[in-house]
Amino acid sequence: MNTADGNFPQEGFSTAPGILAVTTLSLPITIVMVNLIIPSVQRGSPDAEKCPVRDVLDRIGDRWSLLVLLNLCRGPVRFTALKRAIGDISQRMLAKTVRTLEQDGLVTRKVYPTVPPKVEYALTAMGTSLLEKFQPLVEWADENHQAVREARARYVPPAAAEAL
């Protein structure tokens, strides 16, 4: 990214309202990060319901939804195979989770007329696009999992009086 005089900008930081630009001399690029300002709102308030980030994260930020979506990324999966793949999820919680994901348009449910009934779940195009956005998070978690576990083991909580 050239400046007005045709030269590359100097190494460092520059700011403009809502934008932080980081320029390095080792790379001829400027990384621009847009600072998103999300107003503070009370959970359950009418304003919270209007916030798209809060609305989506409330639904997929639970303990199981992302794991279900990740297990569906290779193709349709039967309910029992999905439960077995996740492991420590109850049948009731898995049923509730896939129902919520289906309601949000991230998962489809196909019932085959057999005895016993065969039910398969698959990602929709929207579910696939969501997982594409989560891929960097999954990679980061994989790369840093051991370091996070070690940090948790080293952590000493502050005394009750210091915690506030």
Side-chain angles (χ1 to χ4, degrees):
M1 182 164 139
N2 293 348
T3 59
D5 61 6
N7 296 319
F8 286 102
Q10 297 297 312
E11 182 172 47
F13 298 93
S14 63
T15 60
I19 296 176
L20 168 67
V22 182
T23 306
T24 66
L25 293 179
S26 58
L27 297 172
I29 61 170
T30 298
I31 302 168
V32 177
M33 300 183 313
V34 177
N35 296 326
L36 299 175
I37 299 172
I38 300 174
S40 175
V41 294
Q42 293 295 322
R43 185 182 190 111
S45 72
D47 289 336
E49 292 176 14
K50 295 176 191 172
C51 177
V53 174
R54 182 184 300 261
D55 186 39
V56 171
L57 287 180
D58 279 349
R59 295 302 282 259
I60 61 163
D62 63 14
R63 183 173 180 183
W64 305 110
S65 293
L66 187 55
L67 292 174
V68 169
L69 294 171
L70 289 169
N71 277 282
L72 295 175
C73 72
R74 292 185 194 93
V77 178
R78 291 182 67 172
F79 184 88
T80 53
L82 194 53
K83 184 177 182 326
R84 195 174 16 231
I86 295 173
D88 55 346
I89 188 171
S90 70
Q91 185 168 334
R92 180 177 175 273
M93 184 52 67
L94 179 57
K96 181 178 187 259
T97 301
V98 292
R99 196 174 312 119
T100 299
L101 294 170
E102 184 181 10
Q103 180 185 17
D104 287 348
L106 302 173
V107 168
T108 60
R109 178 178 183 260
K110 185 173 183 179
V111 180
Y112 295 90
T114 61
V115 177
K118 175 182 170 183
V119 179
E120 280 186 344
Y121 295 91
L123 289 177
T124 63
M126 190 165 54
T128 300
S129 73
L130 176 64
L131 272 186
E132 289 170 358
K133 304 300 181 196
F134 273 105
Q135 188 59 36
L137 173 65
V138 171
E139 291 170 3
W140 183 91
D142 188 48
E143 292 166 4
N144 293 284
H145 186 234
Q146 187 60 37
V148 169
R149 291 178 67 89
E150 290 168 3
R152 287 177 185 162
R154 288 190 310 269
Y155 177 72
V156 177
E162 296 174 10
L164 302 175

